[in-house]
Amino acid sequence: MTGASEMAGTPAKVAIVADRISWEERLLIQAAPEHGLTMEWVNDESLTLGDPEPASLDGYQAILVRSRSYTRGGLVAGLSEAAGRLTVNSAQAIHACENKAALRGLLRSAGVPVPDFRLALSRKDFDRALADLGTPAVLKPVFGGMGKRVTLLRDADTAASVYDYVEDLGHAFEQACLIEPYLGGTSVRCMVVGRELVGAAQFASGGTDWRNNAALGNSSRPVHDDPGVQKTVQAVIDVLGEGIYGVDLFTSPAGYLVNEVNHAPGFRGVASATGADVPAAVCRHLLALLHGRQG
């Protein structure tokens, strides 16, 4: 194992653990040398972790987990930490983010505002949730991201038909859903590095797609110096700890609500809308953590 004290005079080596190289990973790799780092992509399917001194992590001072799969990301992070590597994000943070129901419960118990919601594990749950919350409502999987399988239920008849498809999914893991009120066509995506809000942008649905997920490429505008955004984001970090997060907010008459937190956020949308240099912020954060371990 290579300790942080051994990196003096040479760039610290960081493994970007992911299932593929996307726009974000390429920018991180390109930016690293300017900040005294070397970053390399390591396929999350090739690590074979479990040995106390895993050969696949040899020579890396830090592991940046960007697996799109929460399952893979959490497993890799836990075993990387057990092998003594600096791991970002932590396994604890990734596990908190991977389950939308558990995350909302965790945030709400800490006083962080989240949308009203109901967990649906059966049609009986589903029918009661709609009776409580009414329509329009949103159905979303407990485990998932990038707007996949998120459905707007405009009326009760449509809702009943949509749930037929949920019941046909093969595993209870896939059938677990949240039902929540539809809160409109905009959301605010916040890019967080460490404790810093690097950039925030409002995304609005457009065209024929009602969803406003940044991964869908809908219209956006920068959000600057909003105290409500800052306060909400800092409250999330107080619960999850410092890390690299995409924090999605909804607006309500009472203020901002935390919709979800992404453990391996895409940042193209926020960077494009705001001009924020996210790769530089990530590199600075990793260097600070490495120097802290060295000290």
Side-chain angles (χ1 to χ4, degrees):
M1 173 179 174
T2 305
S5 61
E6 297 176 49
M7 68 183 185
T10 60
K13 198 173 178 183
V14 178
I16 300 180
V17 176
D19 50 323
R20 64 185 185 275
I21 287 285
S22 295
W23 184 88
E24 288 82 356
E25 288 74 33
R26 293 186 190 282
L27 261 63
L28 288 165
I29 291 169
Q30 291 169 10
E34 299 177 21
H35 299 272
L37 295 171
T38 297
M39 290 193 185
E40 297 177 350
W41 172 50
V42 177
N43 193 315
D44 61 11
E45 296 180 339
S46 66
L47 292 169
T48 321
L49 298 178
D51 190 294
E53 296 287 342
S56 57
L57 299 184
D58 190 37
Y60 294 109
Q61 285 82 35
I63 310 301
L64 179 58
V65 180
R66 288 193 54 83
S67 300
R68 273 65 174 184
S69 164
Y70 284 108
T71 303
R72 292 183 185 182
L75 292 171
V76 166
L79 291 175
S80 173
E81 289 174 350
R85 298 306 194 278
L86 171 66
T87 305
V88 180
N89 286 322
S90 70
Q92 182 177 357
I94 294 173
H95 287 312
C97 294
E98 70 183 352
N99 181 322
K100 291 182 178 66
L103 176 66
R104 288 195 178 181
L106 181 67
L107 293 175
R108 188 166 58 187
S109 67
V112 181
V114 300
D116 193 9
F117 70 95
R118 301 292 186 274
L119 174 65
L121 300 177
S122 67
R123 187 174 289 272
K124 182 179 290 187
D125 276 344
F126 180 73
D127 291 342
R128 287 177 177 172
L130 286 182
D132 284 349
L133 301 177
T135 56
V138 175
L139 171 73
K140 61 176 59 174
V142 168
F143 306 96
M146 301 181 71
K148 301 289 182 66
R149 290 177 47 213
V150 179
T151 306
L152 177 59
L153 307 174
R154 299 181 185 275
D155 54 60
D157 288 343
T158 302
S161 297
V162 167
Y163 200 76
D164 290 341
Y165 288 93
V166 175
E167 286 184 318
D168 283 341
L169 294 171
H171 303 286
F173 181 87
E174 297 172 322
Q175 292 174 345
C177 295
L178 297 185
I179 316 297
E180 62 186 36
Y182 176 56
L183 296 176
T186 62
S187 65
V188 177
R189 161 59 69 93
C190 306
M191 186 66 203
V192 177
V193 180
R195 292 198 72 92
E196 178 187 1
L197 176 58
V198 176
Q202 183 184 78
F203 290 87
S205 58
T208 59
D209 196 326
W210 66 274
R211 296 169 295 176
N212 52 51
N213 189 289
L216 301 175
N218 294 319
S219 62
S220 62
R221 67 171 183 83
V223 175
H224 298 300
D225 302 321
D226 187 321
V229 170
Q230 286 279 1
K231 179 181 178 181
T232 306
V233 166
Q234 293 304 315
V236 170
I237 299 169
D238 287 342
V239 174
L240 298 181
E242 292 188 6
I244 300 171
Y245 305 114
V247 181
D248 288 336
L249 307 178
F250 288 148
T251 57
S252 77
Y256 287 105
L257 307 174
V258 179
N259 174 35
E260 60 184 68
V261 182
N262 193 312
H263 82 288
F267 52 80
R268 188 170 191 166
V270 171
S272 298
T274 66
D277 191 346
V278 179
V282 171
C283 290
R284 291 194 300 268
H285 179 58
L286 291 171
L287 279 173
L289 293 174
L290 286 165
H291 291 154
R293 282 168 68 96
Q294 188 176 22

